[in-house]
Amino acid sequence: MAQKVVLITGCSSGIGLTTAVTLARDPQHRFKVIATMRNLNKRDKLEETAGDTLNRTLEIKQLDVCDEKSIQECIDSIPDRHIDILVNNAGVGMIGPIECQTIEEMKVVFETNFFGVVRMIKEVYPDMKKRKCGHIVVISSVMGLQGIMFNDVYTASKFAVEGFCESLIIQALKFNVYISLIEPGPVVTEFEMKAYEEAARGDYSGTDPVTAEMFTNMYLNNSKAIFNSLGQKPDDIAEHLLKVILAEVPPFRHQTNPIYTPLTALKHADPTGDLATDVFYKMVFRYDRLMHQRHSVPRLFHILAQQPPL
């Protein structure tokens, strides 16, 4: 069986790096990995982790998902432009009160998280259609299904990706091209931890004192506890992704953390949106501490089910 060429974006750290190395180390040698990153000066960690797979089953290339020329040059450098599996992983985060975020900062998030995905798909999708074979994987998030407080812009970018792929999948299947959205909950990476540390030192004088207090003392503290108790590791996500790309019929959506499945299903149980809003409000302002412990989450759902609506 011929090796499948897998191109992954955002491989300098975190999920991208771990996924690239996991596939490159496949015992059956089923994958040839093109691990890309915007800044090749950050390749050291990937090279070290890749070990003897480097320049064998793993090759590192420069690619900036915000630069169409960079994307085209990278794809053109691959023999016959042949990519069997595209993994859209590159992304940036943004948390905090919207009054403290500029429109330009918000555009940066969309340029990477949404338009970056669109640029990549536009470049590889026509070739996949011609071959009538291919698989496009997008690292999305449970926040592409359900909004989370103080993640307004990041959530919006993931919603945009989910809607884009949900529309595209219908025509893609006609050409035997699969699309899969991988939807993790919290994932413990250096990138995430650094983002929260920087947020804790941020200036929130641009918003009212109640909102600033809500973000710094409640949201950030609770998020840290949730990451510690419920967060997955990049290795977990890489293993889930491996199962998805090996599936005979790849799923369109795949959530990696079953604890979050009931939460993302709430809006489908009540089309008015009142149920989801009520549950999340109570989780944030009444029962936040229960979310810190994995074994308490089912108990929390039981409590909320017995509560009258606000």
Side-chain angles (χ1 to χ4, degrees), residues 94-132:
M94 175 179 276
I95 55 174
I98 60 168
E99 304 98 312
C100 303
Q101 300 164 349
T102 68
I103 295 297
E104 290 305 312
E105 289 170 334
M106 296 178 187
K107 286 180 179 179
V108 169
V109 174
F110 268 80
E111 277 296 318
T112 300
N113 294 3
F114 176 64
F115 289 110
V117 171
V118 174
R119 291 186 191 99
M120 291 301 303
I121 292 177
K122 275 174 61 67
E123 191 65 33
V124 306
Y125 181 50
D127 294 330
M128 289 181 172
K129 287 202 292 184
K130 288 177 184 176
R131 294 194 305 269
K132 288 188 166 48

Side-chain angles (χ1 to χ4, degrees), residues 107-241:
K107 286 180 179 179
V108 169
V109 174
F110 268 80
E111 277 296 318
T112 300
N113 294 3
F114 176 64
F115 289 110
V117 171
V118 174
R119 291 186 191 99
M120 291 301 303
I121 292 177
K122 275 174 61 67
E123 191 65 33
V124 306
Y125 181 50
D127 294 330
M128 289 181 172
K129 287 202 292 184
K130 288 177 184 176
R131 294 194 305 269
K132 288 188 166 48
C133 183
H135 192 181
I136 296 168
V137 180
V138 181
I139 304 299
S140 181
S141 168
V142 292
M143 281 191 267
L145 300 171
Q146 173 62 54
I148 301 294
M149 187 172 69
F150 291 122
N151 285 267
D152 318 277
V153 176
Y154 177 80
T155 293
S157 72
K158 291 300 184 180
F159 263 72
V161 166
E162 295 259 342
F164 175 82
C165 292
E166 196 170 87
S167 299
L168 187 62
I169 181 68
I170 306 303
Q171 63 154 292
L173 288 174
K174 185 70 174 176
F175 297 93
N176 197 38
V177 176
Y178 290 94
I179 299 175
S180 296
L181 292 159
I182 308 294
E183 299 163 335
V187 181
V188 182
T189 66
E190 293 178 13
F191 171 81
E192 292 286 350
M193 295 303 101
K194 183 179 178 181
Y196 278 92
E197 288 173 5
E198 290 176 353
R201 299 191 297 268
D203 176 14
Y204 303 106
S205 58
T207 188
D208 60 274
V210 174
T211 301
E213 173 79 9
M214 195 185 304
F215 176 66
T216 56
N217 289 341
M218 186 184 71
Y219 173 82
L220 289 179
N221 288 337
N222 288 346
S223 293
K224 183 177 180 180
I226 289 171
F227 266 86
N228 289 336
S229 61
L230 303 178
Q232 293 179 292
K233 296 180 179 179
D235 308 68
D236 299 323
I237 311 306
E239 290 300 325
H240 277 272
L241 187 145

Side-chain angles (χ1 to χ4, degrees), residues 254-271:
H254 178 84
Q255 292 188 31
T256 66
N257 194 331
I259 283 179
Y260 288 88
T261 302
L263 294 176
T264 58
L266 288 173
K267 62 174 61 178
H268 300 291
D270 174 22

